[in-house]
Amino acid sequence: MPTGPALPFGPAARPLHPVSPPVPVPVSVPGSEAVPVPAEGAGGDLVGEPPRVAAAAAAAPSAAPNPALERIIRGPSGVGTAGLFFTPRQAPPAAPPAVPSAPELPAPPPAAEGRPIPGLYHHPVPEPDPARVAEVSRRIKRWAVDEVEAYPPEWEDQFDGFSVGRYMVACHPDAPTVDHLMIATRLMVAENVVDDCYCEDHGGSPVGLGGRLLLAHTALDPVHTTAEYQPEWAQSLLSDAPRRSYRSAMEYFTQAATPSQADRYRHDMARLHMGYLAEAAWAETKYVPEVSEYLAMRQFNNFRPCPTITDTVGGYELPADLHAMPAMQRVIALAGNATTISNDLYSYTKELESPGLHLNLPVVIAAREGLSDKEAYLKAVEVHNDLMHAFEAAAAELAVSCPDPRVVRFLRGVAVWVDGNHYWHRTNTYRYSLPDFW
């Protein structure tokens, strides 16, 4: 991959993040024009309802959790977006006009139906706003091709098949603008470029992974060194697609995030990289971990960095002291664990087709507990469901015990992300197909 030119970042004021009540602030970053695509259900959406949030939260301590609260915490639960609201949603206005795509970047195809894994506990979500999907898809491809040279032309079909625009719109329906959605979308693509190029699909290897990940991590957490060696480090951030992608995506993110939110994300990415290294060490030694060890690794090598930025993408901030509460950390960990096991299940057949032994939960259960492939897969479904129930119970309990509107909103955002993540796995038949176990 050729070294790309220096990326066009200039000084930009970071938008202020509201404290209480939350108010959306559009993000404006160099090279990313604002497109005012209104959030679905404008006037009754998350962004415009702080009084309802405050009223519901104030009433929470005097009332035991009820089905309505649980529905709020777990996110969408049926046709429409009723699960995003504290009160019944009014009829939505007419859909905004579609944003035209550039001629050379056609709009992505509609989502394939797919089918959920039988017995998997999940909540259906509404189809993501097609106008937003088209615009995010257009912008992210332009960023990947023109700004960071994330992939060579021969990988274009795989990039398109990833359907990252549909993914992020489904996971962040409360994003005030497309610019906010792009924050999450760039980071998602950058994380996958690192995973593919350093760890798995496209030349990745466990050998020497630690050195590669450490240098890539400096694109997220800058090196502070001497004047003599600073230029060499800065130039190294342009040396390969993973580092170019991390560097650029993090630049955009820090222009929109508060320092606390940026530091939170760096911490979660360090967790992710530590999980990568554990899996790589097992691959090098051909060690099949115990199920408990595998699940421990998956708490680090998982989706956690994605839902943890839900407040930045939503245009507000969950303060550091509220984010750091042990009860909140448990909720976030359970959300990451459940979604990651869902990924294990949907990617099971894809990974079996890859060379060598690819660890996932069904494979580890089969090896360690002496079960057939089918029995192990079905047990992994049970593990996922247990994690989902624990996540929802912990979130509901926290919403009642700490009814700060920002806490309740963040919990709801994480729950919506969990449901959107499942939606993308279910519908992405380009990447995933289910085993014939039923």
Side-chain angles (χ1 to χ4, degrees):
M1 176 75 70
T3 299
L7 303 181
F9 295 113
R14 184 177 67 247
L16 298 176
H17 283 268
V19 177
S20 182
V23 178
V25 181
V27 176
S28 178
V29 292
S32 178
E33 66 280 7
V35 178
V37 182
E40 185 179 358
D45 60 11
L46 296 180
V47 176
E49 287 198 334
R52 295 181 184 178
V53 173
S62 61
N66 55 55
L69 176 59
E70 292 178 7
R71 182 172 64 252
I72 292 162
I73 295 304
R74 74 182 183 226
S77 59
V79 177
T81 56
L84 292 174
F85 305 93
F86 280 89
T87 60
R89 178 183 172 187
Q90 298 176 351
V99 181
S101 299
E104 69 276 13
L105 299 174
E113 279 299 318
R115 67 184 179 107
I117 294 170
L120 192 79
Y121 179 70
H122 70 282
H123 305 292
V125 302
E127 288 296 312
D129 181 348
R132 284 190 159 197
V133 171
E135 178 62 5
V136 171
S137 299
R138 181 185 73 84
R139 290 197 198 184
I140 193 58
K141 192 164 185 180
R142 187 177 65 188
W143 174 79
V145 172
D146 297 338
E147 289 194 43
V148 299
E149 299 176 69
Y151 63 89
E154 57 267 27
W155 295 359
E156 183 176 14
D157 59 332
Q158 297 175 54
F159 184 88
D160 293 342
F162 192 73
S163 300
V164 68
R166 184 161 50 86
Y167 193 178
M168 294 296 96
V169 175
C171 286
H172 297 284
D174 71 332
T177 69
V178 171
D179 282 324
H180 285 80
L181 283 167
M182 287 301 299
I183 296 166
T185 309
R186 292 187 199 93
L187 290 173
M188 172 62 78
V189 169
E191 290 167 28
N192 277 273
V193 171
V194 171
D195 190 23
D196 284 349
C197 294
Y198 283 179
C199 305
E200 293 189 4
D201 294 345
H202 294 294
S205 166
V207 179
L209 178 59
R212 296 192 297 274
L213 281 180
L214 174 66
L215 295 176
H217 193 84
T218 68
L220 309 174
D221 199 350
V223 170
H224 301 277
T225 187
T226 65
E228 178 181 0
Y229 295 107
Q230 187 78 17
E232 183 178 350
W233 165 75
Q235 186 62 30
S236 75
L237 299 183
L238 300 175
S239 62
D240 63 11
R243 279 180 273 189
R244 289 194 299 271
S245 299
Y246 263 1
R247 174 185 182 270
S248 176
M250 193 66 182
E251 287 274 4
Y252 281 103
F253 176 67
T254 54
Q255 290 168 22
T258 67
S260 175
Q261 289 171 320
D263 193 58
R264 178 205 306 172
Y265 180 75
R266 292 187 187 100
H267 188 187
D268 281 346
M269 289 301 292
R271 284 180 165 119
L272 176 68
H273 293 156
M274 185 164 62
Y276 284 173
L277 291 175
E279 188 172 22
W282 292 339
E284 281 196 277
T285 59
K286 296 181 171 53
Y287 176 69
V288 177
E290 299 287 349
V291 176
S292 60
E293 293 173 327
Y294 178 82
L295 291 173
M297 181 272 292
R298 277 310 230 172
Q299 180 161 310
F300 295 87
N301 178 3
N302 77 7
F303 285 111
R304 181 186 177 117
C306 304
T308 201
I309 64 170
T310 187
D311 54 340
T312 307
V313 181
Y316 68 101
E317 180 179 16
L318 179 70
D321 59 335
L322 298 178
H323 178 266
M325 291 188 298
M328 180 65 77
Q329 290 296 301
R330 173 172 168 76
V331 168
I332 296 170
L334 286 168
N337 293 347
T339 52
T340 302
I341 299 309
S342 178
N343 173 267
D344 274 12
L345 293 165
Y346 276 99
S347 63
Y348 177 74
T349 57
K350 175 177 178 285
E351 292 174 349
L352 287 182
E353 294 170 358
S354 61
L357 177 66
H358 195 112
L359 295 180
N360 57 50
L361 185 56
V363 167
V364 172
I365 290 176
R368 283 298 188 174
E369 299 187 2
L371 300 180
S372 68
D373 290 347
K374 177 179 179 179
E375 290 169 334
Y377 189 92
L378 297 181
K379 184 167 184 180
V381 171
E382 294 177 5
V383 172
H384 167 272
N385 292 351
D386 288 345
L387 289 169
M388 276 290 291
H389 292 310
F391 158 66
E392 292 187 351
E397 180 179 349
L398 179 55
V400 171
S401 64
C402 184
D404 185 301
R406 297 162 297 181
V407 168
V408 176
R409 184 178 179 188
F410 186 84
L411 291 172
R412 183 174 51 190
V414 173
V416 171
W417 195 94
V418 169
D419 292 344
N421 184 66
H422 174 267
Y423 161 87
W424 176 79
H425 280 84
R426 174 182 66 80
T427 59
N428 197 328
T429 54
Y430 176 88
R431 289 173 62 89
Y432 305 122
S433 60
L434 302 186
D436 188 18
F437 289 155
W438 299 275

